[in-house]
Amino acid sequence: MKKSIDPRINRLELPANEDGKEVLDELEQWETYEVFHQKKRGDQHVHVGIVHAASAEMALLLAKEQYARRRQTSNLWVVKTRDVTATSYDDSDIFETTPEKTYREASDYYCMDRIRKYQQEHGIKDRKEDRRKKKESA
Amino acid sequence: MQYNETELKAVKEFLYKIADDQLIIGHRNSEWTGLGPLVEEDIAFSSIAQDKIGQAQHIYEILHTLGEADADTIAFTRNAADFKSCHLVEYPIGEYDFSLMRNFLFNHAEKIRFEMLADTSLEQLAKLAKKYRGEIKYHTMHSDTWITQLGRANEESHARMQTALNETFNLALGIFEESEFAGNLKELNIFEGESALQNRWLEAITPLLEKASLVIPERSAWQPVYGGRKGYHTEYLEPMLEEMGEVFRLDPKAEW
């Protein structure tokens, strides 16, 4: 007999597959869609999760309640999970950067001291600095 | 606006009818919570149920300003005979096909009714009609998508949806039972009338059902199930009301 964590499925007493494995047949579960949420028009769509659905239209419908019910939303996208091409976790070493190459990261550029010097020389106010001072005095 | 005695009766009956339908179908739909066909749909359908109950509450609040009891008392303590809901919303949830089809037929009538009420002379109601536009639009999108999906998925699902349509259609026609006060409502520029609503409803659902490969019963077989608007109800309403108001009646004075 097929076993499920859902007692209602178990009550149906579905026969096991021929190979004896207790798994649900393909398509007994609807496929999944990845859901992307956009807060405000113009913002990026951000991946928020998945829904099971029989069609893209239904996926949007269900995504609205799962992912847009309790937050500001202007737009949703859904994409079939199987249409997503992903890197392999086995290849995750491609994202590593060798320590000697930190100059390739933006954090390794020191230019603020030169910018401040230029601003002082030309009498340009540093607005960021002003705001920081204002905040401190408040 | 000041109403004379008959006009006030007309307005109250009209508001009760709308709100009672919403409360009863909302409660029925909420009976699916935890039993939905998949968790995402369970959440969506429960949320729709909550929307409907919330809408009913707001209309009961209008009634309260017209001299009726407060919303909770109205919802939880009246007898079945005081309810103005149509029979369609009273029936038990049945299988999911029945509940989906009932919701489809009801949602479209509700959507068009509120469209017609967008410029009603009853200002509080006009405000609600505008406020609920988005909610009700989602409710119809939900039912349209399911009807199309199941109407066209396979032989079994199609047969079940067609059966559900056959079972619910005459009940749905009962939504449009005309009130004895229809003339007053029209004169007061509150509501155009149930037959105008029914015509617009038929225009709206016909292409949608066609798209779902479903067939509306022959006109000769139409037998609207009336009575609900006058307080005559099915055997299903009383036990449902008992269950719905059970907790409230334990201590009607309790603060929630």
Side-chain angles (χ1 to χ4, degrees):
Chain A
M1 209 177 80
K2 281 180 194 172
K3 278 265 156 60
S4 165
I5 52 167
D6 185 340
R8 289 170 295 168
I9 303 262
N10 289 335
R11 265 183 254 135
L12 296 173
E13 299 190 348
L14 300 165
N17 290 350
E18 275 173 30
D19 59 8
K21 279 186 189 157
E22 293 167 343
V23 289
L24 292 172
D25 294 330
E26 209 181 330
L27 293 182
E28 236 169 79
Q29 293 276 352
W30 282 339
E31 65 182 315
T32 55
Y33 287 74
E34 304 293 322
V35 182
F36 297 79
H37 172 271
Q38 187 192 42
K39 193 174 169 192
K40 281 187 213 148
R41 201 167 176 159
D43 282 357
Q44 292 179 16
H45 284 71
V46 179
H47 183 248
V48 284
I50 61 157
V51 288
H52 290 85
S55 67
E57 211 182 5
M58 187 179 287
L60 281 175
L61 199 71
L62 298 176
K64 183 254 172 195
E65 281 305 318
Q66 316 308 305
Y67 299 109
R69 188 168 87 250
R70 290 186 178 144
R71 62 182 116 182
Q72 191 193 343
T73 305
S74 67
N75 195 248
L76 290 175
W77 286 348
V78 290
V79 179
K80 269 185 195 169
T81 302
R82 66 181 151 104
D83 287 342
V84 173
T85 311
T87 56
S88 160
Y89 284 110
D90 290 341
D91 295 332
S92 54
D93 45 1
I94 62 171
F95 303 115
E96 283 168 22
T97 314
T98 46
E100 304 87 74
K101 282 186 177 176
T102 54
Y103 60 84
R104 294 192 54 177
E105 295 164 16
S107 62
D108 216 45
Y109 289 94
Y110 301 109
C111 55
M112 272 322 288
D113 43 354
R114 273 185 281 161
I115 291 174
R116 287 211 184 88
K117 193 174 163 226
Y118 181 89
Q119 285 173 329
Q120 274 167 10
E121 279 172 11
H122 292 80
I124 302 167
K125 272 195 177 174
D126 185 344
R127 284 190 216 145
K128 217 172 171 182
E129 191 69 12
D130 282 354
R131 271 204 300 275
R132 197 177 57 79
K133 277 180 189 160
K134 230 182 217 172
K135 219 174 172 183
E136 273 172 8
S137 62
Chain B
M1 192 184 270
Q2 284 298 319
Y3 300 118
N4 68 33
E5 202 180 319
T6 317
E7 289 169 347
L8 190 61
K9 248 187 186 171
V11 173
K12 283 183 184 176
E13 192 211 47
F14 184 59
L15 292 173
Y16 267 121
K17 166 169 79 180
I18 299 171
D20 287 349
D21 274 359
Q22 290 173 322
L23 176 68
I24 305 299
I25 201 170
H27 185 85
R28 282 296 186 211
N29 287 350
S30 81
E31 289 174 10
W32 277 108
T33 302
L35 303 168
L38 70 161
V39 68
E40 292 91 332
E41 171 63 6
D42 193 310
I43 291 169
F45 208 62
S46 302
S47 182
I48 289 172
Q50 284 185 338
D51 287 348
K52 300 232 185 272
I53 292 170
Q55 292 170 6
Q57 186 188 4
H58 288 143
I59 294 177
Y60 289 144
E61 279 162 8
I62 300 181
L63 276 160
H64 187 44
T65 67
L66 296 174
E68 296 295 285
D70 66 282
D72 281 349
T73 309
I74 289 177
F76 295 129
T77 63
R78 278 180 302 156
N79 297 318
D82 300 326
F83 273 77
K84 305 280 184 219
S85 45
C86 62
H87 292 194
L88 175 73
V89 298
E90 299 169 10
Y91 271 71
I93 55 176
E95 303 276 334
Y96 211 57
D97 43 32
F98 179 89
S99 279
L100 281 174
M101 187 55 79
R102 159 164 66 187
N103 210 42
F104 168 78
L105 297 173
F106 179 83
N107 286 342
H108 280 280
E110 188 187 36
K111 180 168 177 245
I112 297 165
R113 188 186 293 279
F114 277 103
E115 280 167 13
M116 290 166 76
L117 289 171
D119 48 8
T120 175
S121 67
L122 192 56
E123 273 172 41
Q124 292 160 286
L125 193 58
K127 258 186 217 157
L128 289 186
K130 284 177 194 116
K131 193 169 151 189
Y132 294 149
R133 198 175 293 155
E135 260 179 26
I136 296 178
K137 189 179 192 179
Y138 176 70
H139 297 180
T140 55
M141 279 168 74
H142 177 275
S143 37
D144 296 354
T145 304
W146 274 100
I147 297 301
T148 316
Q149 174 64 35
L150 293 176
R152 305 178 63 109
N154 63 30
E155 247 175 69
E156 188 197 348
S157 73
H158 173 266
R160 290 180 68 144
M161 292 316 282
Q162 184 61 55
T163 305
L165 176 59
N166 299 344
E167 284 171 358
T168 48
F169 193 76
N170 282 330
L171 288 166
L173 290 175
I175 296 174
F176 313 106
E177 179 178 359
E178 198 54 274
S179 158
E180 56 175 308
F181 299 113
N184 301 82
L185 294 173
K186 204 168 177 176
E187 255 171 53
L188 289 165
N189 285 322
I190 288 177
F191 186 62
E192 200 184 326
E194 296 295 327
S195 62
L197 171 58
Q198 180 176 322
N199 289 337
R200 289 178 61 172
W201 173 77
L202 278 169
E203 269 170 38
I205 62 165
T206 303
L208 293 167
L209 288 167
E210 253 167 43
K211 192 180 157 204
S213 307
L214 298 169
V215 185
I216 294 179
E218 289 284 330
R219 209 168 256 264
S220 58
W222 291 9
Q223 286 178 326
V225 181
Y226 291 149
R229 305 304 189 202
K230 300 204 161 53
Y232 302 108
H233 294 284
T234 63
E235 60 189 298
Y236 308 114
L237 183 62
E238 187 76 58
M240 196 211 94
L241 293 176
E242 257 164 52
E243 191 183 290
M244 192 174 73
E246 203 179 351
V247 176
F248 179 83
R249 286 193 307 269
L250 281 176
D251 182 4
K253 296 265 176 300
E255 297 268 342
W256 292 87

